[in-house]
Amino acid sequence: MLQELQKIISEVVVTRKIERKLQVLVASIKQAVNCEACSIFFVDESNQQLVLMATDGFYQEAVGVVRIPLNNSLVGLVVKRAEPISLDDCAQHPAYYYVSETGEEALHGYLGVPVIHNRNVLAVITLHQQAPTRFDVDSETFVITIASQIADNLAHARISQDLDDILNEEIPRGAFHPIKGLPGAPGMAVGTSCVLYEQMDINAIPDKKVTDLETEVTLFESAVASVKSDIVRLKDKLALTVSEDELALFDAYILMLDGQSILGETIARIRAGQWSQAALRDTLQEYVRQFESMNDAYLRERSSDVLDLGSRILRYLRKDRDDRKTLADKIILIGELLTPSNLAQVPIEKLAGVISRHGSRTSHLAIFARAMGIPAVMGADLIPIEKIDDYQLIVDGYKGYVYVNPAEEIQQRYTRLIEDEDRLTSKLLELADQPAQTEDGHSITFLVTSGLMSDFDPAQTCRADGIGLYRTELPFMERQRFPSENEQRDLYQSILQQCTPRPVYLRTLDVGGDKALSYFPIVEENPFLGWRGIRITLDHPEIFLVQIRAMLRANIGCNNLHILLPMVSNVNELNDALSLIHRVYGEMLEDGEDVVMPKVGVMIEVPSAVYMAESLAKRVDFFSIGSNDLTQYLLAVDRNNARVAGLYDALHPAVLKAIYQVVQAGHQYNKPVGICGEMAGDPAAALLLVGMGMDSLSMSASSLLRVKWVLRHFTLNRTRKILSDVLKMEDAEHIRKHMNHILELAGMGVLLGSGIE
Ligand code: PEP
Ligand code: MG
């Protein structure tokens, strides 16, 4: 049974076209269970109906035609209950809804199984048999297992289908509905999509219709001509070192490009309305299939030559497209799992938005997007990105929505919202020189979080009281090897010098988890609970000592260095790190260097550190709360996993109570407590943190003025009162709503993102 199950699932998953996919599904289930009919209905929420999408056993003419009411039918009941219904005789059930078009009269035994994705019923698989008996338990569990395993795939396929409709419609009616991901970085943008393809995967090229056929043909011919001249050049270059026989391969390539085969067939496909990339895809697939089916081993091998040629042509086609795309004024970058360095692949002044299929709000891409003030949607896993290259898109980073080919009305509404937001941003600029304090004058230290020279904007930083978190691992990640002590010193020095006398908190190397160094690979089953942060640097003191020495040297003449230790989970780690720092300091003094002992603090980002806060406070100069990891570890929710991102909320009462406890422990020992996780830049959270007595907030530069605006409207006592009310609440959602309500009443609803529901 297990083998059968796996076979069905893999067959369904690899089938590309949705109609075919569903047909394979129902036919395979019918055969495996040996019943009279198996069908699948899709839920059509907007019409409150279920549509018959495929059947094996009922009349085929009924497919796409039969629509059953959601509220008043047996299939509808499966949707409502979100669990299987098994009956001896379906016609006897009060919810039975007779449909004449299917020819189901003679069938009695019934099983309906929901296909559920993200808690929503997407479809229902129904089974019918002649005998007036229920399906046996094995059949029932078999179908339930299949339904649960194909749910993701069907959800993708369905979105893909919807997108096809949207993309192919002249008037995009479907474009009123967003595709949903997760909010990554606040803001909204309308722009042209630019998909970053990981590799030249020919099969991933989507279909696209073209109207200007002759331009497309010329584009293709010129790509082929470029490849041909590349090959001729390559052949001439190698002629002196390679034998005649080997050079013959290049002649074969040139022949293939000259002949009618690839060129002629692809042009014929373009003239039939297909864009050049997909026309080439079809031609190549055809040839590869033919070569691979040949008996002769030599000829079979030729399929790789065809693919190689194809990739060369494709590279030119894409280059031309990319060149044209980068001409667009506003680019929305899309990728599977974009990294901060991908952001540099388009002209930065044109980058209007970012969509990443994987990741979440605390992924490093999102952190960078926020630092740069660019809206981002993360974990948009349902978007078949290869389909939406070079289309008009709207990115709503507040709600995590993406509109593809948006309807005119939606575009106008977003354009208005963006204008409102721009007005707010310029209004907030008036606050740039105002102090960061509550309405009644209680000051809070406002710091910026940084990590790359590219996001280190002295102008923005000037509006803050210093740099609250500089992630030193990011420059490490950008290189091909560990940076030398001098390279590190130069980098740190330029930051310390630009900020002095304001403080800079340099965090020691925090790699591991989701932050990998290509030249220091770590393979672990469970990296977030593995070798991370201080654990690595204590095991490799040579890395730690060099970094500390570079920091102390950089601080000579600046005296604004604060060292921050990440991922400390016990007192011994802290003792060891402190003794290494003291050792470096002592050695440098002995060598006659003019160094000073910097302030050293610990990040509180592991639950054990919360409970050990008093012991830690005795040993350090300050605390900095890393709420990103603290939330992840307290709630046991992977910060990068879009599937559980709905559970990740720093306003969870457990997180708030833990943070409050840390503030009190720090203050008990007269040690300042700051926060450098993303939470500090969330206006609602910032009010609560100030109410707790947090001394400093470190956030991305783009959040500074917004948070300042909010704090200046509330007195310290009011924030304390809000905190005490919130601490009585029992769930994050309730707290979030309460805080949003408070901001709305204060006239600051615009900060919550007023996008379209
Ligand atoms: C944190 O965990 O809150 C933090 C600031 O560190 P990072 O996001 O770099 O892990
Ligand atoms: Mg952290």
Side-chain angles (χ1 to χ4, degrees):
M1 205 72 166
L2 182 63
Q3 255 181 356
E4 178 122 40
L5 193 104
Q6 279 166 346
K7 190 168 150 272
I8 297 178
I9 290 164
S10 56
E11 234 181 294
V12 170
V13 168
V14 297
T15 308
R16 239 177 110 177
K17 295 254 182 253
I18 189 157
E19 298 84 6
R20 181 85 202 110
K21 188 189 277 295
L22 298 176
Q23 198 52 46
V24 169
L25 177 74
V26 291
S28 327
I29 296 180
K30 177 175 173 259
Q31 194 188 15
V33 173
N34 193 16
C35 59
E36 268 69 44
C38 177
S39 314
I40 182 161
F41 293 82
F42 267 15
V43 176
D44 175 359
E45 197 70 56
S46 45
N47 292 310
Q48 286 293 295
Q49 287 175 330
L50 284 143
V51 191
L52 177 66
M53 296 296 290
T55 181
D56 189 344
F58 289 163
Y59 300 143
Q60 284 305 318
E61 303 82 75
V63 172
V65 176
V66 165
R67 289 180 160 263
I68 294 179
L70 247 180
N71 277 335
N72 183 21
S73 66
L74 208 45
V75 210
L77 199 60
V78 177
V79 177
K80 193 168 151 210
R81 292 192 186 161
E83 59 181 8
I85 292 181
S86 181
L87 301 168
D88 295 332
D89 189 351
C90 51
Q92 302 302 320
H93 193 281
Y96 180 67
Y97 181 87
Y98 173 67
V99 187
S100 59
E101 296 94 327
T102 55
E104 62 186 73
E105 296 83 10
L107 304 175
H108 303 283
Y110 174 88
L111 174 64
V113 174
V115 180
I116 303 179
H117 177 76
N118 280 351
R119 301 188 183 191
N120 289 320
V121 180
L122 192 79
V124 176
I125 299 173
T126 62
L127 272 64
H128 287 80
Q129 64 187 359
Q130 220 156 24
T133 51
R134 284 166 194 241
F135 282 84
D136 59 34
V137 176
D138 281 352
S139 304
E140 187 173 333
T141 51
F142 180 78
V143 182
I144 291 173
T145 314
I146 291 187
S148 63
Q149 292 206 29
I150 53 150
D152 270 12
N153 187 261
L154 284 196
H156 277 96
R158 191 167 176 182
I159 293 276
S160 219
Q161 181 71 34
D162 286 353
L163 263 184
D164 275 343
D165 293 347
I166 292 173
L167 300 177
N168 291 325
E169 274 172 47
E170 301 240 315
I171 306 156
R173 277 176 291 117
F176 285 101
H177 302 293
I179 299 174
K180 292 178 187 170
L182 303 167
M188 298 161 282
V190 182
T192 308
S193 55
C194 171
V195 173
L196 283 188
Y197 293 93
E198 286 294 307
Q199 78 282 75
M200 293 281 166
D201 180 1
I202 288 181
N203 299 322
I205 299 171
D207 290 335
K208 217 178 261 187
K209 289 201 170 51
V210 279
T211 42
D212 188 352
L213 303 179
E214 285 321 305
T215 307
E216 199 69 13
V217 168
T218 314
L219 185 75
F220 180 69
E221 284 172 337
S222 92
V224 171
S226 306
V227 171
K228 213 155 64 183
S229 63
D230 284 352
I231 292 172
V232 171
R233 240 195 334 268
L234 201 62
K235 185 183 164 200
D236 293 345
K237 208 166 137 194
L238 292 176
L240 297 174
T241 44
V242 169
S243 75
E244 274 293 314
D245 280 357
E246 282 159 312
L247 284 180
L249 174 69
F250 295 107
D251 294 328
Y253 271 25
I254 293 168
L255 261 175
M256 275 198 249
L257 291 176
D258 273 341
Q260 268 316 292
S261 42
I262 292 184
L263 191 69
E265 289 175 27
T266 307
I267 290 178
R269 289 189 162 98
I270 296 173
R271 293 230 157 91
Q274 183 67 281
W275 71 314
S276 54
Q277 296 192 25
L280 177 65
R281 173 201 69 197
D282 292 344
T283 308
L284 295 175
Q285 282 174 342
E286 189 66 41
Y287 276 92
V288 168
R289 249 195 310 275
Q290 281 175 21
F291 278 122
E292 284 181 347
S293 65
M294 289 178 181
N295 289 331
D296 183 301
Y298 174 80
L299 288 176
R300 267 204 310 277
E301 277 297 300
R302 300 287 59 79
S303 67
S304 56
D305 295 342
V306 173
L307 280 177
D308 181 32
L309 263 186
S311 305
R312 287 166 190 270
I313 302 172
L314 201 56
R315 218 164 286 146
Y316 277 104
L317 290 176
R318 284 195 177 149
K319 185 178 172 314
D320 179 81
R321 243 186 130 66
D322 287 347
D323 288 351
R324 278 190 285 162
K325 263 190 309 197
T326 46
L327 292 180
D329 275 349
K330 293 191 165 139
I331 299 172
I332 293 174
L333 202 60
I334 308 178
E336 285 289 332
L337 177 56
L338 293 176
T339 60
S341 52
N342 288 141
L343 298 180
Q345 274 173 267
V346 295
I348 213 74
E349 66 286 358
K350 293 184 172 185
L351 184 60
V354 181
I355 303 169
S356 181
R357 190 148 152 187
H358 300 289
S360 69
R361 194 170 189 279
T362 44
S363 302
H364 285 98
L365 173 78
I367 290 174
F368 272 86
R370 274 197 293 287
M372 295 161 80
I374 294 168
V377 172
M378 304 293 293
D381 190 26
L382 284 177
I383 299 181
I385 55 169
E386 62 284 354
K387 290 205 172 200
I388 53 170
D389 194 22
D390 208 12
Y391 277 98
Q392 180 85 348
L393 291 193
I394 292 175
V395 178
D396 182 339
Y398 291 111
K399 297 211 150 36
Y401 288 177
V402 177
Y403 291 82
V404 181
N405 239 3
E408 189 58 35
E409 190 187 323
I410 298 279
Q411 261 197 65
Q412 282 172 2
R413 274 156 76 183
Y414 267 97
T415 307
R416 268 198 308 275
L417 287 169
I418 292 168
E419 284 164 7
D420 288 350
E421 194 164 67
D422 288 348
R423 263 194 297 278
L424 173 70
T425 307
S426 16
K427 183 174 127 162
L428 290 184
L429 278 178
E430 294 163 10
L431 290 181
D433 300 322
Q434 301 293 319
Q437 60 185 30
T438 56
E439 199 181 355
D440 53 336
H442 169 78
S443 295
I444 298 110
T445 305
F446 257 43
L447 302 166
V448 282
T449 296
S450 174
L452 273 189
M453 282 316 276
S454 57
D455 80 330
F456 176 68
D457 175 356
Q460 291 272 23
T461 311
C462 284
R463 293 192 189 132
D465 301 314
I467 296 186
L469 167 65
Y470 185 88
R471 293 182 167 94
T472 62
E473 59 275 11
L474 296 174
F476 275 68
M477 286 160 75
E478 282 189 324
R479 290 179 162 71
Q480 304 300 316
R481 52 166 177 80
F482 282 110
S484 69
E485 184 184 317
N486 283 349
E487 282 173 319
Q488 291 189 54
R489 184 210 49 209
D490 290 349
L491 175 68
Y492 305 150
Q493 195 171 44
S494 75
I495 297 159
L496 293 169
Q497 279 175 349
Q498 291 190 61
C499 284
T500 190
R502 289 166 300 146
V504 175
Y505 293 70
L506 294 184
R507 181 170 72 183
T508 62
L509 187 66
D510 182 20
V511 287
D514 65 335
K515 287 178 278 190
L517 297 180
S518 57
Y519 47 91
F520 188 71
I522 304 170
V523 182
E524 288 179 319
E525 283 273 313
N526 206 342
F528 273 114
L529 298 184
W531 210 36
R532 264 200 84 180
I534 200 85
R535 299 172 185 177
I536 296 182
T537 44
L538 287 179
D539 287 348
H540 278 279
E542 75 283 13
I543 300 174
F544 190 72
L545 292 169
V546 165
Q547 188 172 38
I548 298 295
R549 208 170 296 121
M551 287 180 178
L552 296 194
R553 284 220 166 96
N555 192 35
I556 295 175
C558 293
N559 288 344
N560 53 348
L561 168 68
H562 292 59
I563 295 180
L564 196 46
L565 303 169
M567 279 296 292
V568 170
S569 60
N570 61 50
V571 167
N572 292 341
E573 285 170 339
L574 178 57
N575 288 343
D576 291 348
L578 287 172
S579 85
L580 287 174
I581 295 172
H582 281 284
R583 190 175 116 193
V584 174
Y585 171 63
E587 285 168 3
M588 292 175 86
L589 275 187
E590 263 175 40
D591 291 345
E593 295 196 57
D594 191 15
V595 287
V596 289
M597 181 63 197
K599 290 209 176 347
V600 181
V602 68
M603 288 201 61
I604 306 289
E605 51 182 348
V606 180
S608 61
V610 174
Y611 293 101
M612 296 304 293
E614 290 178 15
S615 307
L616 298 172
K618 287 182 215 159
R619 292 167 166 83
V620 292
D621 298 309
F622 61 89
F623 280 165
S624 185
I625 299 173
S627 55
N628 304 341
D629 277 314
L630 189 58
T631 306
Q632 140 164 288
Y633 292 126
L634 271 175
L635 305 183
V637 178
D638 178 347
R639 60 194 264 187
N640 286 326
N641 185 341
R643 199 181 280 252
V644 288
L647 296 172
Y648 184 103
D649 193 339
L651 292 194
H652 189 294
V655 180
L656 295 177
K657 284 178 183 158
I659 293 177
Y660 197 18
Q661 197 172 319
V662 173
V663 174
Q664 288 167 332
H667 287 174
Q668 195 183 325
Y669 288 86
N670 290 324
K671 304 293 162 73
V673 182
I675 180 161
C676 62
E678 292 302 305
M679 187 181 180
D682 171 351
L687 280 179
L688 297 173
L689 296 168
V690 169
M692 290 180 195
M694 195 70 70
D695 300 293
S696 63
L697 302 175
S698 183
M699 63 196 86
S700 38
S702 59
S703 304
L704 280 174
L705 295 181
R706 287 161 187 255
V707 176
K708 194 191 270 191
W709 186 45
V710 171
L711 292 185
R712 290 176 59 85
H713 279 76
F714 290 82
T715 62
L716 182 60
N717 263 342
R718 176 91 199 282
T719 64
R720 288 182 178 147
K721 169 77 176 75
I722 296 172
L723 174 71
S724 92
D725 291 344
V726 158
L727 288 176
K728 291 183 200 117
M729 298 175 187
E730 291 178 330
D731 75 284
E733 212 182 310
H734 188 181
I735 296 176
R736 181 70 62 194
K737 278 203 182 118
H738 180 73
M739 294 307 297
N740 287 354
H741 185 62
I742 288 175
L743 289 175
E744 266 158 14
L745 283 182
M748 296 169 173
V750 60
L751 293 175
L752 308 173
S754 34
I756 298 167
E757 281 303 337

